[in-house]
Amino acid sequence: RMQTPFGRMPPTPTPAMASTLTRSVVSYRRTRRLAKPMRAHAALALLLVCCIERARSAPYTEENRQYNMNNQVGVTDARNYAYTDPRRTYFPSPSDWRKHPVYQVVVDRFNDGDPRNNAQADGLVFDWQKNEGPFTGYDVRDLTTRQGGDWRGLAAKLDYIRGLGCRAMWISPVQQNLDNSPMGYLQVDKTLLERRFGNLSDFHYFVGEAHARGMYVVVDIVNNHLSEMLDWVSSGEDDETVKFRMHHGGALSEPSKPNRGAEPQIRPKAKVRKACMQTEGCDPENYQPYVDFHYNNTWYDEGKYPGKTYREAGFAGMPLGIPDINGTGGYWNSSFHHSGEMPESEEGPWNWPLGKLYGTLDDLRTTDDA
């Protein structure tokens, strides 16, 4: 557990929790949001989560400190990350959430309190040391792009929301995203805040103003995937479409089509490699888009997947007719699943946490017990 500005971190998620998180995102995209119980006073604490214990999160630097939810100088192990401030107090959670109407809001779509942060194009690739990059996508004439909402804008409307009878706010994810991505689900880091929403002081101000009105703040988090900067390296297939597979071709979602090959390798997308080539000091052959999580294409012939799968009712195990998951072979040093696309919903849910969500989102190995 890690100490944070709003309390102690919850324990590292189990495979069952990771499966639930994945299903929650799937349901959200199909407009069937699943409620995720959270501790309200953990509005910032919930963000300092790292689902894979061996992975690192963005280290603290003087250049990113106004956006970094870790202020431990010199600490590189994410399990020791924390945000410490003896001046801050803790806001207790309610004893019964059912007594508190919740107002859910997508931050970007609500109110623009500081137009200065709407678009910040500081480079072609993400620079975690400065929290800079292609943070664009703002255009109020196009509803598919960012509209400029931020935390200062939320703070300015708290009296209106409280006047509706709402005692809590459930806000969209707050971590840094790349171009556009107004919903907040294409995160490039788990500890750096979204610059287009404001900085750490702006977020503290919003939460403090909510607490002053007796309101709670719940932050939506996404642990099972990151942005969309990686792609497949396959032979004889379209790089952007790889059918679900595991190990040497076992544990397929379609038992009638065996031996479709082993898990594919991963590389940065073409547009990411191009941006790297145009950036001084960036090596497209060895570029890792995420400082927190790295892909690794070293194949281990006898590797066995240590995770577990879960059937429709939440029980551990594989559906009838699907070979057992405990085959051999895989990219065991990679932070990402190499299993191809997430299958259609009727083939799940056992393989939902194991594939690339919607064929675009870079899927983390949150189901790995290690």
Side-chain angles (χ1 to χ4, degrees), residues 19-163:
S19 179
T20 301
L21 284 167
T22 301
R23 289 197 295 272
S24 298
V25 175
V26 171
S27 298
Y28 169 78
R29 297 301 175 89
R30 296 192 177 106
T31 67
R32 292 184 287 112
R33 287 300 292 262
L34 295 181
K36 294 186 287 248
M38 300 179 184
R39 292 172 60 86
H41 70 280
L44 189 57
L46 287 172
L47 307 175
L48 270 170
V49 68
C50 185
C51 292
I52 304 175
E53 285 194 40
R54 64 174 180 271
R56 296 175 297 150
S57 294
Y60 172 92
T61 69
E62 283 298 313
E63 294 173 303
N64 69 24
R65 63 186 178 87
Q66 61 178 324
Y67 303 103
N68 203 331
M69 293 177 284
N70 159 51
N71 66 357
Q72 304 304 295
V73 179
V75 176
T76 58
D77 188 337
R79 291 169 294 186
N80 297 322
Y81 276 19
Y83 187 95
T84 56
D85 186 348
R87 299 168 299 176
R88 300 196 65 80
T89 57
Y90 296 90
F91 196 76
S93 295
S95 58
D96 189 345
W97 276 101
R98 293 172 297 180
K99 299 178 180 179
H100 302 278
V102 178
Y103 190 96
Q104 186 175 6
V105 60
V106 175
V107 177
D108 176 73
R109 292 297 197 260
F110 194 69
N111 186 39
D112 188 353
D114 185 358
R116 296 172 298 177
N117 60 28
N118 288 340
Q120 303 180 49
D122 298 310
L124 297 176
V125 297
F126 173 55
D127 182 353
W128 64 267
Q129 297 185 67
K130 300 178 181 179
N131 195 26
E132 294 181 351
F135 307 148
T136 58
Y138 169 75
D139 189 348
V140 294
R141 301 165 299 180
D142 184 353
L143 293 181
T144 66
T145 64
R146 285 183 171 265
Q147 302 297 296
D150 49 37
W151 297 315
R152 289 282 174 173
L154 287 181
K157 297 294 183 180
L158 285 173
D159 288 335
Y160 160 73
I161 296 172
R162 186 67 182 86

Side-chain angles (χ1 to χ4, degrees), residues 29 47 49 69 126 146 172-178 181 183-192 194 196 219-229 289-290 292-293 336 361-362 364:
R29 297 301 175 89
L47 307 175
V49 68
M69 293 177 284
F126 173 55
R146 285 183 171 265
S172 54
V174 302
Q175 290 105 328
Q176 185 64 64
N177 282 231
L178 287 184
S181 54
M183 305 301 291
Y185 287 96
L186 302 183
Q187 300 159 9
V188 294
D189 196 87
K190 296 297 184 184
T191 60
L192 295 177
E194 170 61 73
R196 287 161 292 193
V219 178
D220 198 347
I221 62 172
V222 180
N223 293 329
N224 54 296
H225 67 77
L226 287 165
S227 186
E228 45 183 1
M229 294 199 288
Y290 306 105
D292 314 49
F293 309 97
F336 300 89
L361 305 181
D362 302 331
L364 290 165

